[in-house]
Amino acid sequence: MDPVRGLRGNRLVPGLFECGLILCWGTVHLSTIAVSGIVGESALLPCVNSTLGKHANDEIRVYWQRGDQCIRAFYSGKEHTCQNYSHRAYLFTKGFKSGNFSLLLSDLRVSDNAEYACIIQIKQPTEYNVVLFVSVTLQVAAHYVEPVLTMEPEQKDQVGGELVRVNCSSWGGYPKPIIYWTPESSLSQNQTVENHVHCSGEELCNITSILWIQATSNFATCSIYNPKLQENKTATLSWNSSRNDTILAISNTHHRWIIPIALVTLIIAVSLAVYLSMKFRTLLNEQRCCVQDGQVTSKFSY
């Protein structure tokens, strides 16, 4: 951002141009910084110069703006909020003594992708001159969810082979991702994959990718790569093209017999417990002891 062009915008706060454009500029430190942030989280936009920390707060003016729009300001010894950013933008006023004029922007949105300007004026000695200009480019990104894969029934292609349609879906990410499949197989050499990416305006992106692949491949892997975050999300779907129906039938039969077998096992266990209990009581009754001539005798001999 051209600092002169930035200061030629609308008068955002009182006194910013009261000294005239040329007189307002003294010895200015210029810098450009790039910052990354995640949607829903916070990002720190740095604006630091330790040589400016010796000034009292009432001698400092701090302006953060986006184009001609005010983000946050500090002047006349007080912090001033700006419309649309009153609950999302914060200055570290206690850090002014160390030359830290950074801005904390919270609850990031896709619409926050922009260039921001930090402009610092110092009173020298009776008028305020611009001594620091920092241009910060904020690049906002969002994580995509893990891909969800589904498979549709097989179809015959023109040459008689079996084709499987595999759908890959993901959402909630930004910016537009790079989508790729492993392995790649297609209806024709010209169209392997159909990608549908919807990123409307300031919203997060939703993606759907369709792969036509030979059924004999038995698996497909879909990868969603976020170039801004350098993050890759991957999911794999596998199948058995020759025994699909058989495996399903065996699985169904197996589950059908689980409940009857469990009931029979429970009945046998209860019956056995009852039988053993009755047998134990009978043995106790038969072991009656009788006292004869001061001797204790049992009906059982050992």
Side-chain angles (χ1 to χ4, degrees):
M1 175 185 291
D2 179 2
V4 176
R5 185 186 63 187
L7 291 177
R8 284 174 180 164
N10 296 331
R11 184 177 299 178
L12 302 178
V13 290
L16 180 56
F17 302 113
E18 65 184 10
C19 57
L21 179 61
I22 297 177
L23 295 179
C24 278
W25 287 80
T27 302
V28 183
H29 298 273
L30 304 176
S31 62
T32 302
I33 302 172
V35 174
S36 297
I38 304 297
V39 169
E41 299 182 6
S42 299
L44 183 66
L45 280 57
C47 182
V48 180
N49 189 316
S50 58
T51 63
L52 303 179
K54 60 184 178 180
H55 299 278
N57 280 3
D58 58 358
E59 298 177 340
I60 299 174
R61 290 176 176 175
V62 181
Y63 305 106
W64 273 95
Q65 62 188 62
R66 173 181 174 177
D68 292 338
Q69 182 182 15
C70 172
I71 305 298
R72 201 77 169 180
F74 181 92
Y75 54 91
S76 301
K78 296 181 181 179
E79 190 172 358
H80 300 267
T81 62
C82 302
Q83 191 175 6
N84 300 328
Y85 288 91
S86 59
H87 301 293
R88 296 205 300 129
Y90 306 92
L91 290 172
F92 303 94
T93 54
K94 293 182 179 180
F96 290 176
K97 294 181 180 180
S98 59
N100 183 5
F101 310 103
S102 303
L103 178 77
L104 182 68
L105 191 59
S106 65
D107 190 20
L108 291 179
R109 307 163 185 175
V110 172
S111 58
D112 290 329
N113 271 303
E115 271 191 21
Y116 298 81
C118 171
I119 305 168
I120 308 300
Q121 288 183 326
I122 299 294
K123 192 174 183 180
Q124 298 176 335
T126 58
E127 60 184 21
Y128 287 88
N129 293 326
V130 177
V131 294
L132 178 65
F133 183 95
V134 178
S135 175
V136 181
T137 301
L138 176 60
Q139 300 175 337
V140 180
H143 300 284
Y144 283 92
V145 303
E146 297 291 339
V148 177
L149 298 184
T150 58
M151 185 178 67
E152 296 190 6
E154 299 174 355
Q155 299 182 16
K156 297 282 186 178
D157 67 6
Q158 295 179 355
V159 294
E162 297 286 351
L163 290 175
V164 172
R165 171 175 168 168
V166 184
N167 303 316
C168 176
S169 300
S170 184
W171 55 90
Y174 188 86
K176 182 178 179 180
I178 299 172
I179 308 168
Y180 58 94
W181 290 84
T182 306
E184 289 189 350
S185 178
S186 60
L187 274 169
S188 66
Q189 294 181 351
N190 297 327
Q191 188 175 9
T192 300
V193 176
E194 297 178 23
N195 291 331
H196 304 278
V197 181
H198 180 66
C199 307
S200 60
E202 300 176 353
E203 298 179 6
L204 300 177
C205 299
N206 298 324
I207 71 103
T208 301
S209 183
I210 301 171
L211 171 71
W212 290 96
I213 190 171
Q214 295 292 332
T216 53
S217 296
N218 294 333
F219 82 97
T221 298
C222 176
S223 298
I224 309 296
Y225 179 72
N226 189 322
K228 188 76 69 177
L229 298 176
Q230 297 184 353
E231 180 181 68
N232 197 42
K233 297 291 183 72
T234 300
T236 299
L237 180 68
S238 59
W239 62 90
N240 191 321
S241 59
S242 60
R243 299 179 58 191
N244 225 12
D245 295 335
T246 303
I247 293 175
L248 182 59
I250 293 174
S251 177
N252 289 340
T253 302
H254 172 72
H255 286 94
R256 203 164 46 238
W257 284 103
I258 287 179
I259 295 178
I261 291 174
L263 289 175
V264 171
T265 303
L266 180 62
I267 293 172
I268 293 175
V270 172
S271 300
L272 181 60
V274 172
Y275 171 78
L276 292 176
S277 177
M278 295 178 63
K279 187 66 176 177
F280 182 73
R281 289 182 180 179
T282 301
L283 289 175
L284 287 179
N285 291 333
E286 290 179 352
Q287 287 182 336
R288 294 173 181 173
C289 296
C290 55
V291 179
Q292 295 179 353
D293 301 330
Q295 299 288 329
V296 178
T297 61
S298 172
K299 297 179 66 177
F300 296 91
S301 58
Y302 297 92

